[in-house]
Each structure stands twice: as C-alpha cells, then as structure tokens.
Amino acid sequence: MKKKIYPLLAAGISLLLFQQCSERFLDAKPSTSLIVPASLEDIENLLDNEAEINQSGGLGQLSADEYYYINKAEWESIFSPSARNAYTWAADLYEGEEFIRDWNTPYTSIFYANSALETLAGMPSGERDSGYGKYLRGRALFIRAFAHFDLVKNFCTAYNPTTVDTDLGIPIRLNAGMDNIAGRSSLSESYNVIINDLEEALEYLPPQFDIEKRNRPSKPACLALLARIYHYMGKYDLAEEQVNACLALYNKLIDYNTVDVERVNPFTRTNDEVIVSISQVIGLFSTVSSMTNTSISIDTVLLALYEPDDLRLQAFYGTRADGYTYKKPGYNDGNYPFTGLATDEMYLIKAECQARRGAAAESMETLNSLLRHRYKTGTYTEQHTDNAREALNSVLEERRKELVWRGIRWMDLKRLNAEGADISLKRILDGNTYELPANSPRWVLPIPDTEITLSGITQNPR
Amino acid sequence: MKRNLRLRTCYTQIIRIFRCPKPTYNSLLAVLTIMCLEARAQSPEQSGAVLSGIVVDTIDHPIAGATVGIKGTSIKTQTDSRGHFSIRAPRGEQLLEIVYLGHQTIREKIDNDNRGPFYFKLLPNENMLEEVEVSTGYQTLPKERATGSFVHIDTELLNRRVSTNILDRLDGVTSGLAFNRNNQVSGNETPISIRGRSTLFANPEPLIILDNFPYEGDLASINPNDVESITVLKDAAAASIWGVRAGNGVIVITSKNGRANQKPSIRFNANATFSAKPDLWYAPQLSSAEFIEVERFLFEKGKYNATINNGYGALSPAVEIMLKGREGKLSDSETEAMLQTLAGQDIRDDLNRYFYQNGLNQQYQLELSGGGVFNDYFISGSTDQNRSQTVADAFHRYTLNARNTYRFFGDRLKLTNGVLFTYTSADANQRQYRPDYPYDRVADSSGNALPVSDGSLRLSYLDALDNNLGLLDWYYRPLDERKANFNNTGTNIRVTNSLSYSIIPSLELSANYLYLKAYSDMTRYDDVNAYYTRNQINSLTQIDPETGQLIRPIPLGGIRSVSTGNQTGHTGRIQASHSHSYFSGQTLHAILGFEMSSSTSEDARTTLYGYKEETAANANGTMNFTADYPYFYRTSRARIDAGVGNSASTDRYISYYGNLSYSILDKYIVSGSFRKDESNLFGVKSNQRGVPLWSAGLLYKLSEEPFFQTNWLPRLALRATYGYNGNIDKSTAALLTARAVGIGPQWNSFYSTITNPPNPSLRWERVRNLNLGVDFALKNNRVDGSIEYYIKQGLDLIGDSPIAPQTGVASYRGNSAATETKGVDVMLNSRITHQPEAFQWSAAFLFNYVRDRVTDFKKERGSNWDIISSNYLNPLVGYPYNSLFAYRWAGLDGEGSPQALLDDAVSKDYTAIRNSTDLLNLRFVGSGAPTVFGSLRNTFGWNGLSLSVNITYKTGYYFRRPSLNNSSLYNSFSYQQADYDRRWQQPGDEKITNVPALIYPANLNRTNIYIYSDVLAVRGDHVRIQDISANYVFNTSKLFAGTVKQLKCYLYANNVGIIWKSNKAGIDPDNRSLPAIRTYAVGLTASF
C-alpha cells in the first residue's frame, strides 16, 4: 500500500514545484521601460521629470501690463483663444479651449509629488528615514507647495487678512488617489497647507545645491519660496525673516558687465543667480515675444524707466527691424520664460520689506548692492533716502525693471491693489478700449470648464 | 474499493506503455483520470463476425481516415492509410455506414453471411453542409456535432475573391463578421469585428489562429493561396477554449495539407489585378478662385502679418502676390492678372498626372502535394508583386511553405512538421507631397520641376538668399521627390511540430510546439539630394562672422534611420484527446491540455548622418547631439535628434483547458469547456494574474426523433450555449506604474513619466455569451441554413474616463464599464435549380442584426461637447458604443450665425450649449456602426462556366457629413472643405441654407455648434454590388488527354459600384475621402 502512494506523492510534489516555476515564469516584465516605482532612485527619477514638474502658469503673465499688441489685426490673428482673451480680460477666457495648462500642469506636478510621497511612505523605514529618503520627501513637499501656490496666485483673489477665511482657495490635494475629488478649500486653508509643506521641507533639504541641477530644490529654494509667498500675502516681517535666512545661505549676484549682453541668449539656465529653475508653460516665441514675431512689443512706459547706462536694456531686450522691442530669453536660455526663484528677486523682497518697516537707508543699501551689478561699471549712482515712502517707490520701480516676464508682475498688481493702490489696466486696440478696473473680479482667472463639469467645484465670478 | 482497484490496475498499465517509472506532470494526472474512467466503462462487446473492406474515391485512390461504423451502435473504426478497414459487427442484420468529409455517406445493409471484403466507392458530396468539419485550433469536429456557433469558409469560397490579404476574402461572405470601414471616428477602432463590440478600451480585434497557434505577426505575411479553410468562432462554446483572448471572437485559419495515398500533384495559380487611378475630384474642396477669395479676406484682415513680418515663414503664392501688390511692387492690374492665373490652376491635375498611376497586383503560386502510406506532404512557393496607385509605393511577398506528416506503427504515432517562411518588402514615399494650396504647381508646361513651399519656408525668402553663401539648394520640388525613401521588410519563420500517439484507439496524446522568429527592418533613407536632407542640413547651418565659412552641425551626406525589430516566440502544448462510446449510442469526446507560451520582442533604432551609400560610412562621430544650435533663419534653437533607442517586451501565458462533448444516440449532445489563463500582467498580485472561464452547450437534433419524421424538413436541430470569454489589456496596471524615458535634455538626469495611476481593484475583462440557434434543411437541401440569436455582455470592462484635471491625470482607466450586444445572424442557402450538366442557380443570403449599448459606465460624464465630439471616450449608458450625438440645430439667424436648442429655446450662447450637461440639449441620432448588414450572393453555373455576383448591404447607421469649418478654414487655411459656396452671405440666405456665415476671427464653439449639429448627420444606408466573379473550368479530358487534371480560368471585379444609398450628398458611406477603387482581376489555375 505504501509503495503505491509514491507516484501520487511525486505527482503532488511536482505539481507544487511547477506552480512555483510558473509563478516565476509570469514574473517577467511585459516591457523593459516599465517600472513600479519602489526604490529611492525610482522616486528621484519621477521628481526629475522635466516636462511635468518645475512648471508654472502663463495666463497671468499675458494679462499683465508688460507688453502690448501693436494693432487689432495682430491680436485677432492669435490662434489660442485663452492667449487672445487674456489680453482683453474677456469674461469667457477659454472660449472652448480644452486643455488649460495653467490649471492642469500644476496639478500634474502635485500628482507626481503625491505619488513620490506615497511610494516613500510604503518603503521600509530604513530607506524612508535615510538621508536620501528624507531629502526626496523634502523635494516632493517643495514641488507640491510650489504648484499649489502657483494655482493660488492665479485662481484666487489676492490675500486679504479680513476675508481670507471665507475667500475661496483651491482644491488641495494631499494624496495621489483618483477617487477622491477635492472641493475648494478656504483661502486661508490653502495658504496653511502650502506653508506647512515648505516648513517641513526645510528640515529635509540641504543648505547647498548642485549647481548643474538647479531644477532640484534646496533649503535656499524653500526659504526663497516662503519669502515670495509671505511677500505676496503682505506679511513683510515674515518675508524679511525668510529672505535673510535664504540670502545667508546663497547670495550670489551676476555682474552684468561680465555678461555678453549683445547676445540673443545672454544667460544660461545654470547662471549664478538661479536658486531653483522653473519654466512658464507658455513659450516666448510662439505667442508673446520674439525677435521676429511682430504682433507684440514691450510696454513703452516700462522701457522708459531704464536709464541709458542700465545694462538690462540690452540684456533683456532687443529691437526689431520695424522698431518694436522684443524680450530676449531670460534666466532660462530657451523658449520658456524663467519663473523660478533667483537671488535678484530676494534682494528686491528684502529691500521692500526694509522700506515697509521704515528702514529706508538699509533698504537703499540692499537695492544698491543689487543695482551695482546691473549698470555699466562706474556709471551707477547710489540711491540714498531717509524717506520710507520714497524708498518703497524706488524698490517697486526696480521690481518692475528687474523681474520682467518672470510671472511676478501680475502677482504684484494684485497685491498692490489689495493694499489699495487702485491700479487699473487698459488696452487699446484700433480705437476699442478694454479696461480692467482695480476692483474687478476678472483679476482672478476662471477655473477651466472641464474641471467645473467633472468635479462640480465652485466657479470664480467673472 | 472496487473502483480504487480498477484505478490502480489501469495506472500500472499506463506505466508500462510509457516505460517511465514516475509521471511528473499534472497533465498526465488528468490523462490518467480519463483513462481510468474509460477502463471502468469498458464492457465486453457483443461478439459477431469481422467484416473487412476497402474504401476508395472516384478515381480509385484509397481513402484513409474514413469512418466506418454500425449504425445505431457505438461500434466504429477508421480506414487505414491503404483504405482498409475491419470491423466486428453484432449479429443480425445491420446497417454499415461509411462517412468521410466532403463525400456522400454510404449506408449498406449487411448481415453476418457476407463478411466481405467490401469495396466502397465514395462520391464527392455536392452539398458540403452536413459533413463540414470545423476547427477550433485545438480540435476539429464535424459541424453537425457542434453546439456552438461556427462559420466555415471553404477553399472555394475563399478563392472566389482575388486579394493579397487573407482577411479581405472573408468580406461579404461571413455571417456576423463586419468590416468597419469609415465608421464614426473612434479612438480604438478595429478593422473587423465579430458580432459587434464587447470591449471599450481594451484590444477590440478578434484573435487570429494560424494552424493551431495564435498568429501575432503582420497579416500581410499570410499567403491566402496556402489557406485551405477558415473557421470563425462566434460564441462562448466555440471560442472559450481560447480563454482570455477570445472576447472578440476567433478566426481560425487552416493551411493546406497533403493527403495520404495521393499521387504527386502540381497545381499552378496565377492572376493579375488591375486598378485605375483614384478619382481626386471625389471629395469636395474649395476651388482655387474660392480659396484666393478667402486668402484675400484674411490678408486684408492682417491674419498673415505676423508671418509676413518674420521674413521667412511660409506664405502661399497668392499671399505673396497680394503682398507685392501692397508693397507697390506690382500694380493693381498686374496683381489681379496674376491672381487670375492662379485661380485657373488646379493642383489635382498635377497630382493625377505625376503622383498617381494605374495599379497592378500580380500573384503566382506553385504547389506540390501528395502522400503515400507512411507520409504525406505539401510544398508551395508563391510570390506577390504589387504596384500601388501611388507612384513609388510597392509591395512584394515571397512565401515558402512545407508541411510533412509521417505515420508509424500503423498510424498510431503521427509526426507532423511544418515550416513557413515569408519575406515581405514594402516601399513607400514617406514624405509624400500634400499640397498646401489648391493652385500649387509642381511642373511647368514642359514638365520641368517647379519649387513649392514646404509649409515652413517662404519661396521669396529662399529667392533672396545669397547664392554665394554656399548653402545647399533649399528649394522643395515635389516632382523630384517621388521616389521611395522608406522600405519595410519583414522575414518570418514559423516552425510547427506536432507529435501524437494513440495509446489505445480511444486515447490520443499529443504534443505541439511552435517556434516563431520574425525580423523586421524599417529603413528610411534620404540621400543628400533629397529635400528633407538638404533642409535639415541648411536649417542648422551657421556662417562664421569672421571667416564667412559655413559651419554645418549636420554633416553633408544622406540621413539614414533604421528601426529593427526582432520577435521570438515559443508555444508548447500537451493535450490528451479521448473519444469513446460507453454505452450503446453514447459517445464522449474530451480534450484536456496545458499550454505555455512566451513571446519576446526587441526593437532598436539608429540614425546615421552624413551617410555615404557607396561606403556605408557615416559622420556621427563628428557630431554633437547635446548642443543647442540656432536655426539659420530664426532665433530659436534646436538639438539634432540622435535618433537612437531600444526597447523590449515580453508576453507570457500559462493556460489550462479542457473541453468535452457527450452525445446520446447522435441526437442529444451536451458540451462543456473550461480554461484558465494566467499572464505576466504587470503590477498585480499573483492571484489577479489569471481568470477562469467556462462554457456549456446543448444540441438537440429534433429531426432524428421518430415522431419528427417529415419529408419536407429532413434536418432540424436546436442549439443553445452559454459561457464566458475574456479580454486582456496589458496597458493597465494595479499599481502606480512609470515608464523610464531616458536622460532629460535640460538637466541631464534620468527621468520617468507616470503612465498609470494606481488602481487596486483592477480585474480582467469578461464577456458573457448566450447563443440560441436553429439549423435546418428542406427536402433535397433545396434550402438550408441557420438562424441564431445571441446576447453578449461585456463585464468589468476597462474604461478610460475623463476625470477632473485636479487629479493630475487627463483620464483614468479602470474596470468601470459594461456593455450588452444583442443580435441575430441568419444564413440561408438555396439551390434554386440544380441539375447536373444543365443550368444551375444557387443563392446564399446573409442577414446580420447587431445592436450594442453601454449598460454601465461609472465615471462622471463630461459636458455635452465631450459626448458629441469624443463619444468613444465618454460613452453614455443606454446608448451604443459607437453613437452619433449631435447638437439640436435651430437654423441660422438673420446674420448667418448658427443657432441650437438650449433648454428648448433657440440659443446662440455657444459656450453654454457646449458646456451644458443636460442630455435634453443633445440629440441621439443613431448608431455610428451598421446595425443591419449582410449580403446576397447568386451563383449561376452552366457546363464549365460559373458566375457569381455578391450584393452587400449595410443599414441602420449614421455618419457626420463634412461641411464648411470656419475655424480650420481661417486658422489652418485648410481648403479641403465642402459647402463653401452654400454659406450664408446675405440676409435672406438663412431661409435657403444651413451653412453659417464665416466670421473673423473664427470662434471655435460657434464653428462646432454647426459642424456637430444634427443637420449634418446623415443616414449611411446603402446597397452595393461588391464584386462579380466568373470562372470557366475546361473539360480537360478532351483537351490534354488527361495530363492536365484541372484547368480553370477566372475573372473577378471588385468594388463594382453602389446601387442605392440613402444620403443625397453623393458620399459613399464606406469610402468618404477617396472613392472605392474598382479593380479587375484575371487568373488561371491548373493542376497536373
């Protein structure tokens, strides 16, 4: 009897062995390029995705007052409805356009960041809590905060401390899951999440950065973004605190006398002033600024602010054959404008904060240290004043001249109007006048139609 | 206990047979089980006399494999390779029955006094219906014993049509098979579908089986002349043996084979198919004069200013003239005269003259087949030489096919091997000239090449370039660019081996193995004289400001890019087949098997710059692929595409399957099947890798019942089956999945892109099938046919659904949908007159009704615009997958603006109409795919002459008629548009036209309200004469004194013409942009 069991036993064992084999057989990857992110390196590769991360919206830029269309025909011939309508602040901004990068791209960055955070959370604690693991956590938090803030500045009203708890914020996304659709948070909640993310990221990110990989955030980048956010919120004391911490870690400025300002691309994307590199989603050449695109020109009022010895005139602008002025690529050397964080902006924030708290002399000293690097050697006249108001005006004017086409002017206009500056914008096209009054709801971009139909969140009044 | 004893007894028997001490595979266990069951059922036969005999065909060749049986009993045997049989018949008077495929059954009364030897001559069957054998790829079975839904297409029907592609031969003759030509545009279309659609976003194509194994290569590699027959498996019982790959139905292709005891035979087949140039004037477009009118309007509006001012951007010849007029370089009258000349030109004249030719396809095939006692063979060689109607495009195919079968131990051991070698080569001009303007000219009156704009550079910019700079000639002259610059070759080697062994007559073990190797090379070569190469080199050329020397980042020489693919496949199968009668009149047929398959493919791409053809040398080593070079003519920069890459993929399956049918008195047949497939699905837990699927079926031959004996209805059978097939989508994963892209150009870091957000509940798709059928034949087979009703339910279907952009993904895939397809397939054959040696007329009628609808789609649906414009991404519950939705048109207003109904009120709020989510603001026009289709084929014969005409019809569907698109006319200057002359131009026009006035700048929503309104939805119904086939079979006995066995010549005309269509717009619904091209073929077949 016992003997007769063996064959069956053998069959049983071989069946088990076969099961094991077949499982290994089916473990083969269907495609070599597919990855289920599991290692820290996989996470880093996600966060290094250039096309989806380190991007910011461009419709605010197109709504601001740094350029104009030379006539109505040129404006009418613009292909993209949103690019055309942003110029006149039309109530129906998108006019049927489907894919609105100003909204979609930041949320894609957030999805990447959340995916990275969730993958990290599922890893063994040894790896997760290693230096490299924490560093990646810091990077993901920075990316999420940057994207959330980019949405806040475009799709929400300017910060107003009295209404911030009831003003509408943006949908805040803190996980990568597809099934939960977030409603609009309050504006104060939006800011809290952004600042919390950055404060946590500060703990993990290194004080120095790889100068060849300026797409990766660092401690200075976190501090610079916090400074920009507090500055936009009008919390100048907090902004100054952050900006000082940032400049203590990194404060290099480029002396424009060492730059070949005649070149079409005077700067590289790894130039000394860049703290973290971000690109605007709307290209320079395709829509708004190029040597050969004659439809638009740089605002003449802005151009008139520069003195002849100011090297920025040549470094930033060129003159076309027809006499109009175009904008050269800036701190990004290619088609997509630089909207990242750089030391020049930090100096200007610092100077403004100093002026705002009445330290006019200190403010002017900060401003001079920047401007000395912008004028032909020996031609710059140092600015001095004891009048805080005067100092502030100087700083605000220099902000306009320095941070051209960096996506900052629109923020500044919203912030200044919130403080009561009462700045209205006006466009004239062949005798037709379009106006954006200081108190208009059209300072806030409408949320794309696709988002409204699919998630049912509240639309901005327009 | 008694049972166990038997088990052991028979177990030891097997061990002896195998001479192996320990069986190792579980499939063997299964075999054991069957054998033991069988052993148990064996009962002593009634003793009787042994009869013997021989079975031959009409020319006295022995027939091997004919079934010889005693009617009413389970006693059966088969003739051996010499046509011999011997059988022990019970005592008393009996009916001996000899059955052989394709031949009339012989029934002979016998008694024990006459033991033979008998001599039976089988006559070929003129009505194939009863004896048809269908193949599932795992087994062949007589169609009359099948419970499932099979369609069998025999050699004759396949060869009725002359074509290069095998699948074309199924068109119009296969019940339930739809050819989807120009259905409403969808994202995941399939060229053919069996019984409608039961998936949304997974693979919608039927599985193709070639000689028992799935065929994954290019269908163009299959030579139709090597095909013996095709079986289409439509329902669960037929197809579920293919498991997860059978969800869309299965097409089983069986190649020709040699036959035992057959003299060597040579068959030769040759044919040529002719076609004329396509009619370029078929699709409407703006006339040259009308287009100039549009350009003048846009020119005056300043639309071209940005391009004009950049100095280099492409301008049309008309705009260049207008510009010269504006700049005063031409007087008004000169300008008008030049525009007048342009208006008289039509580029279609040039296209027709220089870019199209008459097509000619040639096909030659030579076969050798035969067989002896111990082996049979089939060898064929063929070639196809196709010249396309487009100049420079051509296709060549060479195939070599050899199949051998060897039999040992009195047919008990059978070894078959087949080698199929195919080589295909396709030439094409990949940078075909597509005119940007209706008045372009590519040649002057004496035929010399003229330059035209390539769409990016302006001719006047090129004219103004200093010749002394040393740039390469920068003009684009389409006439000089007509040669093939793209070649795609494919080499396929497919080796099949099969070994089968009958351990005992009722049990056969077989092992099958397929080896597949396929190579493909896609070579794109633009020599240094090609415009593409010259433009690439010039675009990045720089002039050194000091020396004036040219700096060329792309070196002089041709540009050659090669993509190679290399596919290797292995499939192994072990199968046990069992066939036995247990009790009187009850027979079990069963198969049980196990299969493993692995297919890997690798692709690599390389690009060589500065390529010199003579030496095959290249200059890549001198180049920098990471520098950003400025363009010669504009300020932006570009990188040179390194053009290299590689990737690999692996497909693996493990499957277990079984199939049985149990027949009682040949009257009731029950069938069942199961299959479990497991695959290397990515990112799922191992228990989610597989899915078990099953089917069950019943066949009741009512006409075999004693109470149902009528003369007029000799055959009536009822069938019912139920079960599941599956479908697989490997692009989806349950876990977060990313794809490694490589090193980014900006930051030089490796990076990856997320391709799939996590989806923890991912499952396989399943298709639930119910099939009910009736088979019948009237007296003398005057009319026979079948009627089938089916319901297919797609369950757990993968759905791509729009999702709020705040999630960070544009759309989301998951098991979110379900569909239901109901239909009727009717097949009728009638022999209207059938007298041998006289006039014969038969007709075959196919009628297919299919109606599908989406029954579940969980994700939030988008706006009405999403539903209208991309319904395939936004299916609506209750409506077909391929639905035509439209805005509710409300006519033009007094200014020629389109209006549509919004909340039952006439509205011009285009954004609100677009964004509305209220379905009342939409109109469901109908299905976008035919819901009724079929054919009527009449065949006439007289003496050796036969003529067959196939009329096909499609009804019950709609399509969107193209009309004037304001946005594409003004934004992309597209002149290929209809209805320009019917647009609203002045008040009052709104009463006579629906075509809106053109407005500038165009408003996309306003444009789309018209383009997607119901006023442009038209019925697709039509009837056409698909083809006519005629052949004449010579009476060879008189002609060549018997050396030629058969001589046949044939004529064939395809796409003969539309007889009736319901749309008034003159559009052939199957061929909307180019008309169907009528082809004529002539051919000859001879066998010796």
Side-chain angles (χ1 to χ4, degrees), chain B residues 1059-1076:
Chain B
I1059 308 174
W1060 172 84
K1061 58 179 182 296
S1062 70
N1063 80 78
K1064 300 281 182 286
I1067 304 169
D1068 174 352
D1070 271 354
N1071 305 279
R1072 284 184 232 149
S1073 47
L1074 276 179

Side-chain angles (χ1 to χ4, degrees), chain A residues 14-15 27 35 98 173 291, chain B residues 24 635 689 738 806 865 914:
Chain A
S14 54
L15 192 70
D27 278 340
I35 315 158
E98 303 249 309
R173 295 197 62 92
M291 194 199 299
Chain B
T24 43
T635 51
R689 276 179 178 155
Q806 62 159 281
W865 164 247
R914 174 198 184 280

Side-chain angles (χ1 to χ4, degrees), chain B residues 50-83:
Chain B
V50 175
L51 313 173
S52 66
I54 183 166
V55 178
V56 295
D57 64 12
T58 45
I59 47 170
D60 291 332
H61 282 148
I63 291 178
T67 307
V68 181
I70 309 294
K71 187 140 172 79
T73 73
S74 62
I75 303 166
K76 258 178 199 166
T77 184
Q78 287 200 326
T79 55
D80 65 14
S81 53
R82 292 174 304 275

Side-chain angles (χ1 to χ4, degrees), chain B residues 735-1014:
Chain B
L735 303 176
L736 176 79
T737 314
R739 188 170 56 83
V741 184
I743 290 186
Q746 292 182 356
W747 301 105
N748 292 320
S749 308
F750 279 98
Y751 75 100
S752 55
T753 295
I754 296 182
T755 52
N756 186 91
N759 178 5
S761 55
L762 187 72
R763 293 178 305 283
W764 295 50
E765 289 189 356
R766 287 179 305 147
V767 183
R768 187 193 287 147
N769 269 277
L770 172 72
N771 188 70
L772 303 173
V774 186
D775 300 325
F776 57 88
L778 300 188
K779 192 180 176 186
N780 296 331
N781 281 327
R782 185 50 70 93
V783 176
D784 67 67
S786 68
I787 299 170
E788 291 184 308
Y789 170 76
Y790 61 87
I791 302 176
K792 281 169 76 174
Q793 286 164 316
L795 309 169
D796 296 336
L797 299 187
I798 304 280
D800 231 350
S801 36
I803 187 162
Q806 62 159 281
T807 55
V809 297
S811 68
Y812 180 62
R813 293 204 139 182
N815 298 89
S816 57
T819 59
E820 185 176 75
T821 309
K822 288 181 184 175
V824 176
D825 293 345
V826 178
M827 228 184 341
L828 289 177
N829 295 301
S830 170
R831 296 199 287 180
I832 296 164
T833 66
H834 194 82
Q835 292 138 354
E837 310 297 319
F839 182 69
Q840 300 172 8
W841 177 14
S842 62
F845 176 68
L846 299 181
F847 171 88
N848 301 107
Y849 168 82
V850 55
R851 184 136 262 188
D852 69 284
R853 62 192 180 95
V854 175
T855 48
D856 191 11
F857 198 74
K858 291 192 180 61
K859 289 292 180 297
E860 203 80 39
R861 69 183 165 80
S863 64
N864 282 355
W865 164 247
D866 293 328
I867 294 166
I868 288 180
S869 66
S870 46
N871 181 241
Y872 56 93
L873 288 176
N874 307 277
L876 268 195
V877 170
Y879 295 94
Y881 164 74
N882 199 334
S883 280
L884 196 86
F885 287 96
Y887 294 119
R888 304 168 78 95
W889 183 246
L892 296 176
D893 72 357
E895 288 164 342
S897 286
Q899 304 176 107
L901 292 181
L902 179 65
D903 303 329
D904 283 328
V906 174
S907 167
K908 284 191 289 180
D909 186 346
Y910 305 126
T911 307
I913 296 169
R914 174 198 184 280
N915 288 340
S916 163
T917 53
D918 187 345
L919 284 184
L920 291 173
N921 295 323
L922 279 191
R923 190 158 89 85
F924 169 64
V925 182
S927 169
T931 52
V932 172
F933 62 92
S935 64
L936 174 64
R937 193 173 74 248
N938 277 291
T939 308
F940 310 97
W942 189 69
N943 280 336
L945 189 67
S946 152
L947 178 77
S948 165
V949 180
N950 199 11
I951 294 171
T952 58
Y953 60 92
K954 290 181 179 175
T955 69
Y957 73 116
Y958 295 80
F959 67 94
R960 247 186 264 283
R961 181 169 72 76
S963 187
L964 185 63
N965 186 313
N966 195 168
S967 296
S968 65
L969 183 67
Y970 281 178
N971 288 331
S972 44
F973 317 121
S974 134
Y975 62 87
Q976 282 161 323
Q977 310 227 23
D979 294 340
Y980 177 78
D981 48 351
R982 295 181 51 222
R983 73 191 191 282
W984 187 98
Q985 294 181 67
Q986 59 199 32
D989 282 359
E990 65 273 10
K991 295 190 182 70
I992 52 166
T993 187
N994 277 314
V995 186
L998 293 170
I999 58 158
Y1000 180 84
N1003 175 323
L1004 193 60
N1005 283 342
R1006 178 187 183 272
T1007 301
N1008 286 338
I1009 295 300
Y1010 170 63
I1011 294 296
Y1012 289 92
S1013 73
D1014 51 13

Side-chain angles (χ1 to χ4, degrees), chain B residues 226 228 255-267 366-380 401-407 415-419 1045 1088:
Chain B
D226 273 346
E228 171 89 38
S255 293
K256 289 179 182 167
N257 265 315
R259 287 236 175 104
N261 296 306
Q262 189 188 38
K263 277 192 214 157
S265 155
I266 293 173
R267 186 175 169 272
L366 192 64
E367 293 170 15
L368 173 67
S369 66
V373 177
F374 303 111
N375 75 313
D376 54 57
Y377 55 90
F378 176 88
I379 302 165
S380 79
N401 189 4
R403 294 161 71 80
N404 278 293
T405 305
Y406 305 95
R407 290 176 292 268
L415 175 69
T416 304
N417 65 47
V419 180
K1045 258 191 278 176
F1088 308 93

Side-chain angles (χ1 to χ4, degrees), chain B residues 539-585:
Chain B
S539 290
L540 296 187
T541 296
Q542 295 302 307
I543 296 166
D544 190 309
E546 273 142 44
T547 64
Q549 295 274 308
L550 293 186
I551 305 162
R552 290 197 168 108
I554 300 180
L556 283 179
I559 300 174
R560 186 173 192 266
S561 160
V562 183
S563 299
T564 55
N566 177 352
Q567 192 194 352
T568 312
H570 300 273
T571 306
R573 181 186 297 166
I574 304 170
Q575 181 173 309
S577 318
H578 169 75
S579 179
H580 191 75
S581 300
Y582 290 99
F583 308 102
S584 173

Side-chain angles (χ1 to χ4, degrees), chain B residues 104 115 319 385 699 860 993:
Chain B
Q104 291 177 14
R115 299 178 181 185
V319 173
Q385 303 289 333
L699 171 68
E860 203 80 39
T993 187

